[in-house]
Amino acid sequence: MSLRWILLLSLLFWAGCAPRLTPQDDASAHRLWLGLHHPTPVALTAQLSIHMEGPQATGRVRADLTGVLAQRLRLDIVSSLGSTLAMVEETPQGVLAYEPQRDTATVFLDPQRVFPAQGIPLPLSLGHIARLLAGDWGPLLPQGFAGVDSREGAIAFTLPGGTIQEVVVATDGSWVRALGHDDLEIVADLPAMEGHYTRFTFVSGTQGSAVVRVKAMALEAPVPSPLIVPETARIEIQSP
């Protein structure tokens, strides 16, 4: 038998064994995929508890996120003892963080480095976090998927490229698991509070892990005041 026929038979065998979606699964897959692309929220206010474990820091902090996504987001990170660790501002023009204890203001050229700079292994921007809290995975996902298959109690989407390579969604919508480059894993579960997720787990092979619990959230907020940096502060620029 020629090599050509061996390859052809192998492909036919693989196709026959590959998971096939039933018509019911196919309809569920499209429903779940559309559910990952919620309309982008206009504004958001959230009180978060973050427990992190990583090479830079281990412990728990509180984070208050508020603002209008297209204009200004503000994040205050507070230690378990009540002291302010950092105040962060994200606007379409850029990201600025002020650390009172160091009296240092940092301009971030890469907004996804803000959390890791505070010892929190979340390789996402404030805008990414705000959208995920509201159920919108769109900024992390392409418009379409390259493949889909059915798993026990879930639907798995293979993505054509980008930050995330695969997304697995429970058929009842109770959890989402996204797998990306550099061993990045994002798990969202425990839906409550009007259908919004109440816990996120972020795991990075290089940065550590963080569990984010949503203590309170509302899809409304005024535009917060600009972050005012003291004149005494040292200015640093965090390159990409």
Side-chain angles (χ1 to χ4, degrees):
M1 183 178 295
S2 68
L3 178 60
R4 177 182 177 185
W5 281 106
I6 292 175
L7 292 174
L8 178 60
L9 290 174
S10 298
L11 289 173
L12 291 174
F13 176 78
W14 179 87
C17 296
R20 294 179 179 273
L21 292 181
T22 66
Q24 182 178 359
D25 287 337
D26 187 63
S28 178
H30 282 83
R31 173 180 57 82
L32 292 172
W33 179 257
L34 292 176
L36 295 174
H37 297 75
H38 284 189
T40 298
V42 174
L44 177 139
T45 298
Q47 297 176 4
L48 311 173
S49 172
I50 305 176
H51 183 271
M52 64 271 191
E53 294 185 4
Q56 296 188 53
T58 297
R60 189 182 303 274
V61 297
R62 190 184 80 238
D64 296 325
L65 176 63
T66 187
V68 178
L69 275 75
Q71 299 182 51
R72 180 180 293 110
L73 289 172
R74 279 287 307 272
L75 176 76
D76 291 343
I77 303 175
V78 181
S79 74
S80 58
L81 299 177
S83 60
T84 299
L85 301 177
M87 295 178 286
V88 184
E89 173 186 81
E90 180 176 302
T91 69
Q93 289 71 43
V95 180
L96 176 66
Y98 175 66
E99 299 175 54
Q101 296 178 4
R102 297 177 56 223
D103 196 22
T104 301
T106 305
V107 178
F108 287 86
L109 302 182
D110 181 355
Q112 295 185 202
R113 295 191 63 180
V114 172
F115 283 104
Q118 311 307 322
I120 303 175
L122 299 181
L124 301 175
S125 68
L126 299 191
H128 286 152
I129 296 295
R131 287 173 169 84
L132 281 178
L133 291 173
D136 179 15
W137 292 75
L140 300 179
L141 305 179
Q143 291 298 315
F145 49 87
V148 59
D149 64 78
S150 177
R151 299 182 184 177
E152 185 176 355
I155 298 292
F157 300 93
T158 303
L159 307 182
T163 303
I164 304 300
Q165 298 171 304
E166 181 185 67
V167 176
V168 184
V169 187
T171 53
D172 62 359
S174 61
W175 54 265
V176 178
R177 182 166 64 96
L179 303 175
H181 300 285
D182 299 325
D183 295 326
L184 173 65
E185 180 178 2
I186 305 173
V187 178
D189 56 12
L190 300 180
M193 295 191 306
E194 301 180 1
H196 302 301
Y197 294 108
T198 59
R199 185 177 69 186
F200 290 83
T201 303
F202 298 82
V203 179
S204 170
T206 58
Q207 298 181 18
S209 64
V211 177
V212 179
R213 290 180 172 83
V214 184
K215 298 301 184 180
M217 190 176 74
L219 295 180
E220 57 183 7
V223 179
S225 302
L227 176 59
I228 303 299
V229 175
E231 295 181 358
T232 57
R234 183 174 69 255
I235 306 298
E236 297 180 350
I237 296 179
Q238 182 72 264
S239 59

